Amino acid sequence: MSHKITRKMDLNSDDFYVEVEAPLVAERFRAGNFTILMTVPHGERIPMSIMKAEDGKISMFIKKLGKTSRELYKELDTFENVIGPMGKPIDIKNYGTVVVASDLVCGHAENYAICKALKEAGNKVISYQTFPTEKEIYPEEVLANDVCDEFHLTTEDGSKGEEGHYIDLLEERLENGEKVDIVFAGGSLPNLKELGEMTKEYNIPTIVTVRQIMVDASGMCGACRVFVDGEMQLACIDGPMFDAHKIDWGAALRRPKMYAEMEKVALEHCKELGRCE
Amino acid sequence: MAIKPRVPVREQPAEERIHNFNSVPYGYSEEEAIAEAQRCIQCPNPTCEAGCPVNIKIKDMIRLIKEGKFAESYLLTKQDNAFPACTGRVCPQEDQCEGVCILVKTGQPINIGKLEAFVADWGREHNVTEETVSASKEKKVAVVGSGPAGLACAAELRKFGYQVTMFETLHKPGGVLVYGIPNFRLPKEIVQHEIDYLEEIGVDIQLNMTVGQNISFDELRENYDAIFLGTGAGAPQFMGIEGEKLNGVYSANEFLIRANLMKSYLFPEWDTPISVGKKVGVVGAGNVAMDAARTALRLGADEVYIIYRRTMEFSPARNEEIEHAREEGIIFKELVNPVRFVGNDQGWVTGVELIKMELSEQDSSGRPRPVPVEGSEFIMELDTVIEALGTVPNRLFLSRAPGLKTDRKGVILADDNRMTSIEGVFGGGDATSGAATVIKALGEGKRAAESIRDYLEGK
Ligand SMILES: Cc1cc2nc3c(=O)[nH]c(=O)nc-3n(C[C@H](O)[C@H](O)[C@H](O)COP(=O)(O)OP(=O)(O)OC[C@H]3O[C@@H](n4cnc5c(N)ncnc54)[C@H](O)[C@@H]3O)c2cc1C
Ligand SMILES: Cc1cc2nc3c(=O)[nH]c(=O)nc-3n(C[C@H](O)[C@H](O)[C@H](O)COP(=O)(O)OP(=O)(O)OC[C@H]3O[C@@H](n4cnc5c(N)ncnc54)[C@H](O)[C@@H]3O)c2cc1C
Ligand code: FES
C-alpha cells in the first residue's frame, strides 16, 4: 500500500515540503489532526502535522533531523504508509478574534490549517509566523498570508518583516489592550511553555500542540502521555493540542529527548548506507 | 500399567536463547509426538475436552497422532480451534486441558499443548487444507480488529459465504499475537500463515483503519449488514504513582510494541529505537510481565527483575513462561510493591522505592491479599522500569460508539449469542471480557460468527 509523493521542494536549508497521495486521510482531515507516516516497511511510525488536504493529497512541512526525515528527503518517492487522520481536531467555531502563531516547521504547517479552518468559521484570524532570520523564511505560497485576515511575518533578528518573536509581538499587542479571544500555537516546545506563561497573565485561553514521541498513535502504548491539570492524557488521542496553562511542561519538554543517543546511531547507520546526508 | 514419563521437549539452551528472539521450544518430531500420544490412556470420559474452553476433541486428536494420521488429526483440531499452532504454544494448558488430564495425579499429564502445536505445524508444513468457502452470499459483515477474536470470526463468516471486511488500526494484522507476544514464544510466520489463509479465502483486510477515528462506527452500521467487534483490551494501565513521567519508564505495551511490531531488536536495520538499561525492573508477574522481562534480557540487560506483590505461586502467568524465565536468569522479587519511582536531575529513572508486602486473607480472586508492611520501604536501583499491570479496552473506540453498553471498565456487554446492546453488532475476545486468553477470543469469535449467520438468515 504505497503512497506516491507528488511534490517535494525545499522550504529553506533545513525544512522541506512534501505532498503525497493519501485520499482517505485527505478526505477526513480537519485542522488539528495529524498523520502517522511510515516511510519504508521497516520504518518508524512518526507523527507529522498536515498543512493542507486537497484533491486526495496531503501536504506537510518536514525538518531534516534524523534518519527518517533525511532518508525521505534524499531517497524516497513513496511512503509505505500514510495513516490517519489521527488525533482530535480543534473545536472549529466562531471564537471572535483568534491569534494563530508558530515558530517551527510543524507549527507553520498547523498555522496554515488552523487559520484556514477558523477563517471559514467566521473568526477574525491573525497569524504570526516567526523565523530566525530572512534566510529561513518559507516561500510565500505556503505561508498563511492568504488564509487569514491579518498576517505578521516576523524574524527574530529583524532581517525581514517585523522584528522579534511572536511571543513578544503578541504581548505588545495585549499590552496595548487589543482584544484576543483565544490563541492557537505550535512549534518549539520551550517557546510554547513561555507563551502559556505570558498569556496566562492576560487570561487568554491558549491551545498548543504538545509534540510527544508516539508509537501506535491510537492510545495503546502510553508513550505519548502528557500530564494536563494533574491528569494523564494521551497526546495521540486526547491531543495533540492542549491548554498551555494546564500542562506539566517539565515532563513534556523532557520526554521527546528520550532516544537522542539511539537517533544518532540510526542516522549514522543511514549515512553508512549512503541513504542520508 | 506404569505410565512412562512425558517425552521431553527439546529447547534452545537458556544461555544461547537469551541472545536471540528465535523460538525457545523446537517442538516434537513425528517420533516424539507419537511416543507422547502413546502415553494417553484414551479415557472413556475425556476430562481434558471438558477442560478446553472450546472443547477440542483432544482424545481423538491424540489417537490420530498415535496412529500417525497427522493430517486427519490436524483437520479435526481445526474444527474447534482456528489457530491450533498459536494456542498449542500460548494456552495456559495447566489451567485447562492438562490441568484436568487424568494423569495429572502422576505429576505427568499428557503434553497436550505440544501435541496440538505439533499437528498444527505438521499441517502447515504439509499444506493440509481444510474445507472450502460455501457459495458466495451478498450480505456484508465488518469485523473490527484483527486479533484472534476478529481473525476467527472472519474466517468462519467467510466460510459461510459472507463478504467480510476486516478493519485494523495497526499496519499489521494479528492483534496481540503480532504486537504483544514475542517471537521467541510465538514465531510470527505462524500467525502470518493464518492471515495469508484468510486473504486467500477472500477476507478483505483493511489496515491502518481505526474505527471511530478514520472511519466512523455509523458508517459501518450503514454499510454492513452486521458488525463484529474484536477490538481487544489493548490500553495500558499505569500505577499512577510519583515518577511515572520519568524517561525510562515504560508500559509493557509500549515496550512490547516497540520490540515486536516495530522490531526494535533489529535496530538500526529497523528504525524504531528502544531503551534498555543494565538493570531492568518489570512490575507485575503475568504473561505480559514475563514477555517484557525476557525481551529486556534479550535486548542486552544484565539484570532483570520481576517485581511482584505476591509470591510466584500466585502468578497468573503460564507455568512454562515462569520456568523459562527462571532458566534464563530473570530474578523474582516477591512480596514487594512500588511506592514511587525515583529519578536523576536529567529526568531519567534511577530506581524504585519498594514497600514489603505480607499475604493476608483471600481476596475476590481467590488469592491471598497482599498488604504493605508499614515502614519497610527501601530503594532498589534500576535504569529501566516496565509496568505490566494489565490492560483495559481502548477508550478511543468506546467514546466514538455511543449506545454501546459497557461495564465500568469499558468492557463491552454481550449476551450469550455474543450480541451487544446494539442490534446486529456482535462482540468477542478481550473487548467483551477484559484481558483474557487467546483460546477464549478464538472461541468467542467463532461463536459470534455462528450467531451472525443466524441473525442474517433471520433465525
Ligand atoms: C503531533 C506531532 C506533529 C509533528 N509534526 C511535525 C511536522 O509537521 N514536521 C516535522 O518535521 N516534524 C513534526 N513532528 C516531529 C516528527 O515526528 C519528528 O521530527 C520525526 O519523528 C523525526 O524523525 P527522524 O528520524 O527524522 O529524526 P530522529 O533523529 O528520529 O528524531 C529527532 C527528534 O524527533 C522527535 N521524534 C523522534 N521519533 C519520534 C516519534 N516516533 N514521534 C514523535 N517524535 C519523534 C524526537 O524529539 C527526536 O529527538 C511532529 C510530532 C508530533 C508528535
Ligand atoms: C504480552 C501479552 C502476552 C500474552 N500472553 C498470552 C498467553 O500466553 N496465552 C494466552 O492465552 N493469552 C495471552 N495474552 C492475552 C491474549 O493475547 C489476548 O487475550 C487475546 O489476544 C485477545 O484477543 P482479541 O482478538 O480479543 O484482541 P487483541 O489481540 O487485542 O486484538 C485486538 C485488535 O483490534 C485492533 N483494534 C482495536 N481498536 C480498533 C478500532 N477501533 N478499529 C480497528 N481496529 C482496532 C487492535 O489494534 C488489535 O489489533 C497475552 C497478552 C499480551 C498483551
Ligand atoms: S502513541 Fe501510543 S498511546 Fe499515544
Side-chain angles (χ1 to χ4, degrees), chain A residues 38 51 54 88 207:
Chain A
M38 281 180 76
M51 174 226 174
E54 271 173 18
K88 263 198 191 144
I207 310 293

Side-chain angles (χ1 to χ4, degrees), chain A residues 32-48:
Chain A
N33 283 139
F34 62 95
T35 174
I36 287 283
L37 302 174
M38 281 180 76
T39 52
V40 288
H42 54 275
E44 200 174 350
R45 292 170 66 99
I46 63 164
M48 274 301 151

Side-chain angles (χ1 to χ4, degrees), chain B residues 316-390:
Chain B
R318 300 177 71 228
N319 287 350
E320 189 183 12
E321 309 317 325
I322 299 174
E323 225 17 74
H324 282 160
R326 208 186 297 274
E327 287 165 16
E328 290 168 11
I330 305 287
I331 305 156
F332 298 114
K333 273 236 156 256
E334 305 174 293
L335 295 172
V336 285
N337 204 31
V339 181
R340 67 186 174 108
F341 301 113
V342 289
N344 59 22
D345 42 4
Q346 277 94 52
W348 276 85
V349 70
T350 55
V352 55
E353 182 177 314
L354 298 172
I355 186 163
K356 293 191 178 152
M357 307 294 276
E358 273 170 357
L359 295 180
S360 114
E361 76 285 1
Q362 281 193 359
D363 64 12
S364 57
S365 71
R367 298 176 294 179
R369 196 166 58 90
V371 286
V373 181
E374 230 174 283
S376 67
E377 292 89 345
F378 64 101
I379 303 265
M380 176 180 180
E381 281 177 24
L382 291 174
D383 27 38
T384 304
V385 169
I386 304 169
E387 293 189 27
L389 302 164

Side-chain angles (χ1 to χ4, degrees), chain A residues 213-224 234 236:
Chain A
I213 289 183
M214 294 185 184
V215 187
D216 62 295
S218 59
M220 272 161 60
C221 77
C224 66
L234 299 174
C236 66

